[in-house]
């Protein structure tokens, strides 16, 4: 679950910094297969540092083009990712109020920063993201991330955010690839 918490950034960083990887439990059924990765710690830290810097640049970008809804929702999203990352099975009850708080924060801040009808697309996108990040089913997370990105792309087009459009298109492409790989792996193992 923690790998999905930062929008998959931890997984991407581990993937890039991989020294060696191995699939465990191959002698058993596909349901118990798991991936074990050893990553270069220094490289992983560098990648995660650049990811944080990229998030900060994204925030600055929305501020510079006066896309206040995008800016505020991204700040809330960054905070949400950090808090949701620390969630565990045992702490679910303690974190349940956080789920509702972030839903209300998205809607409330979206209403306060509302500029035009396109702001609603950003609000819906961010609210959907709270729902799918709270979910623990990877299939649901993948499937909900596509409409979330589509809504955000519409918002980015309306405010003229070319970097936002490119970023979301990359996210959609990576989700489609992961869905394809998931189905291919599932057909392979049964």
């Amino acid at each position: 679950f923690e790998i999905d918490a930062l929008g998959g950034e931890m997984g991407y960083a581990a993937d890039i910094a991989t020294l060696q990887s191995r699939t465990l439990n191959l002698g058993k059924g596909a349901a118990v297969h798991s991936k074990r990765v050893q990553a270069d710690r220094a490289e992983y830290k560098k990648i995660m540092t650049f990811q944080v810097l990229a998030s900060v640049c994204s925030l600055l970008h929305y501020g510079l083009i006066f896309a206040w809804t995008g800016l505020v929702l991204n700040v809330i999203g960054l905070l949400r990712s950090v808090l949701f990352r620390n969630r565990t099975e045992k702490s679910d009850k303690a974190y349940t109020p956080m789920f509702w708080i972030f839903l209300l924060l998205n809607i409330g801040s979206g209403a306060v920063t509302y500029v035009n009808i396109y702001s609603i697309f950003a609000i819906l996108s961010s609210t959907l993201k709270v729902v799918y990040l709270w979910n623990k089913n990877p299939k649901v997370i993948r499937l909900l991330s596509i409409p979330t990105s589509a809504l955000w792309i519409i918002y980015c087009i309306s405010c003229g955010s070319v970097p936002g459009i490119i970023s979301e298109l990359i996210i959609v492409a990576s989700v489609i690839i992961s869905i394809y790989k998931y189905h291919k792996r599932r057909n392979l193992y049964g």
Side-chain angles (χ1 to χ4, degrees), residues 51-65 67 70-71 74 152 161 163-164 167:
Q51 290 299 331
V52 169
L53 287 173
S55 295
V56 170
C57 288
S58 176
L59 295 174
L60 289 172
H61 162 73
Y62 284 110
L64 290 172
I65 64 171
L71 173 73
N74 272 293
W152 200 262
S161 173
S167 173

Side-chain angles (χ1 to χ4, degrees), residues 145-187:
S145 65
I146 293 174
T148 302
S149 289
L151 290 166
W152 200 262
I153 287 170
I154 294 168
Y155 173 73
C156 289
I157 290 169
S158 76
C159 63
S161 173
V162 175
I165 295 167
I166 293 169
S167 173
E168 290 302 319
L169 288 173
I170 291 169
I171 290 169
V172 169
S174 71
V175 168
I176 290 170
I177 290 168
S178 73
I179 290 171
Y180 171 75
K181 284 184 174 182
Y182 172 78
H183 287 294
K184 185 177 176 184
R185 189 177 332 118
R186 192 168 180 189
N187 290 338

